[in-house]
Amino acid sequence: VRQLPGVESAALVDTIPLTVGTQWKGVYIEGKPVPKRASDVPNAYVLTASPGYFRTMGTHLISGREFDARDKQGGQRVAIVNSAFAARFLDGGNPLGRRFSTAPTEKPIEIVGVAENGKYNNLTEQAPAAFWTPLEISYRSKASLVARTREVPPESVVPSIRRVVREIDPSIALFATGSMEDQLSWTFFPAHIAAMMLSAFGVLALVLAATGIYGVMAYAVSRRTREIGIRMAIGATKAQVLTSVARSAATLIGTGLVLGLGLALFAGRLLERILYGVKPNDPLTFAIVFAIMLGVGAAATFLPARRATRIDPMQALRQE
């Protein structure tokens, strides 16, 4: 597969992150006391990969090395851990050369590399501890082939990969082939549905809020029709009347916008855990909503006030 045109790198892994099948295992750090209860044993995600996996997946190695030809059956058991593993289990010290096991009686595993944190089971998890072991030492009967393409669409390489696998062994069953975007579509499906529903509710809330602001402000201005008539009867111009009404309305609208902005920031913090790739205090979103509410409030103030200034002052004075 690595020799196919357009393929930059390829590797095997037992489970692709964010798909079904991620495993947890207990972690026993060499030199630390073994917990008395099984429930007290810390856990970490465990994945098994071949050489070239981190390069193929675009996962940056912070220190140490990737798996290579040395990591074979009968050799030293090694692992690559992520930054969360090092921080949580190794007290933030240098992880390279430290050893751990997944059972008290198991042969220890030496850490040879540290990779950046990622998401392995779901999008909302907060940097879980994880480690990888070499596929040739920790064999898995089920594996996923991952390939990174260069200058060609990923889908165009799939037929060639199928052909290569058939040439090696026609009995190998291939399923769920496609681009990484296709593989993760079901993983992102709940997030997409939630985003669509939240967006629909957000638009509905915006329409209701705009309608409510217009109704309240229009009613408040209409209640001042008699006052407007008195002002015009004693010589006030239309511009002066509109300025007076706008000044009092601006106080109400401004107060509501400031309070609403504060509540929106607070609500955004509560929703931060279920948001992915979206800032809870996105300035553009707040600016757009602020402008819409300000425009609705201005229209609700100006239109009724303008109508009131057009009526005869004596008629306005006769209104209840």
Side-chain angles (χ1 to χ4, degrees):
V1 170
R2 290 174 181 147
Q3 295 173 358
L4 290 174
V7 175
E8 182 177 337
S9 61
L12 292 169
V13 63
D14 62 339
T15 303
I16 296 177
L18 297 178
T19 58
V20 178
T22 307
Q23 298 181 9
W24 288 84
K25 279 195 175 182
V27 174
Y28 298 83
I29 304 298
E30 187 177 62
K32 289 190 175 184
V34 177
K36 296 181 179 180
R37 297 183 300 178
S39 58
D40 295 334
V41 177
N43 293 320
Y45 285 125
V46 56
L47 300 99
T48 303
S50 70
Y53 169 76
F54 294 93
R55 178 190 173 195
T56 302
M57 295 297 288
T59 302
H60 174 63
L61 277 183
I62 299 172
S63 61
R65 66 173 178 87
E66 224 188 300
F67 299 137
D68 55 31
R70 290 170 287 179
D71 306 316
K72 293 185 177 181
Q73 285 286 349
Q76 169 67 37
R77 298 189 68 195
V78 297
I80 296 174
V81 304
N82 67 351
S83 297
F85 185 104
R88 193 167 305 169
F89 303 142
L90 304 176
D91 304 322
N94 181 18
L96 299 181
R98 297 287 297 273
R99 304 201 302 178
F100 70 96
S101 62
T102 56
T105 58
E106 188 180 59
K107 186 178 178 180
I109 303 171
E110 182 180 345
I111 298 174
V112 296
V114 180
E116 63 182 344
N117 292 330
K119 296 181 183 296
Y120 313 105
N121 189 50
N122 60 72
L123 295 172
T124 59
E125 59 187 3
Q126 300 295 320
F131 67 93
W132 295 260
T133 58
L135 183 64
E136 293 199 29
I137 294 179
S138 304
Y139 173 74
R140 298 288 188 274
S141 60
K142 178 180 76 71
S144 295
L145 172 66
V146 290
R148 176 175 290 274
T149 59
R150 179 181 62 248
E151 299 178 355
V152 296
E155 296 81 1
S156 65
V157 182
V158 173
S160 299
I161 294 177
R162 285 182 172 273
R163 176 179 53 79
V164 168
V165 174
R166 282 196 300 267
E167 290 175 356
I168 295 173
D169 187 351
S171 66
I172 293 179
L174 287 177
F175 62 95
T177 57
S179 66
M180 186 64 71
E181 185 177 349
D182 295 334
Q183 296 296 312
L184 298 180
S185 59
W186 283 106
T187 302
F188 286 94
F189 181 74
H192 287 162
I193 294 299
M196 292 173 61
M197 293 181 63
L198 286 174
S199 298
F201 284 129
V203 171
L204 178 61
L206 184 61
V207 171
L208 290 175
T211 304
I213 289 176
Y214 187 90
V216 170
M217 293 307 303
Y219 177 74
V221 174
S222 66
R223 294 286 292 173
R224 298 183 61 182
T225 302
R226 183 178 177 84
E227 174 196 341
I228 292 172
I230 294 175
R231 288 177 179 273
M232 296 183 67
I234 61 177
T237 63
K238 291 183 179 181
Q240 290 174 330
V241 171
L242 289 175
T243 301
S244 174
V245 174
R247 188 182 298 113
S248 59
T251 302
L252 294 175
I253 296 173
T255 302
L257 287 174
V258 170
L259 291 175
L261 181 63
L263 290 173
L265 288 171
F266 177 74
R269 294 298 179 186
L270 296 179
L271 294 173
E272 189 172 10
R273 288 184 174 273
I274 64 173
L275 296 175
Y276 179 73
V278 178
K279 295 180 180 179
N281 54 353
D282 180 51
L284 180 61
T285 302
F286 279 93
I288 292 174
V289 174
F290 192 91
I292 291 175
M293 293 303 181
L294 188 62
V296 170
T301 302
F302 176 77
L303 295 178
R306 189 165 177 266
R307 284 197 299 267
T309 58
R310 287 182 172 182
I311 66 177
D312 182 73
M314 297 306 296
Q315 182 180 351
L317 291 173
R318 294 191 192 99
Q319 291 189 4
E320 290 291 332

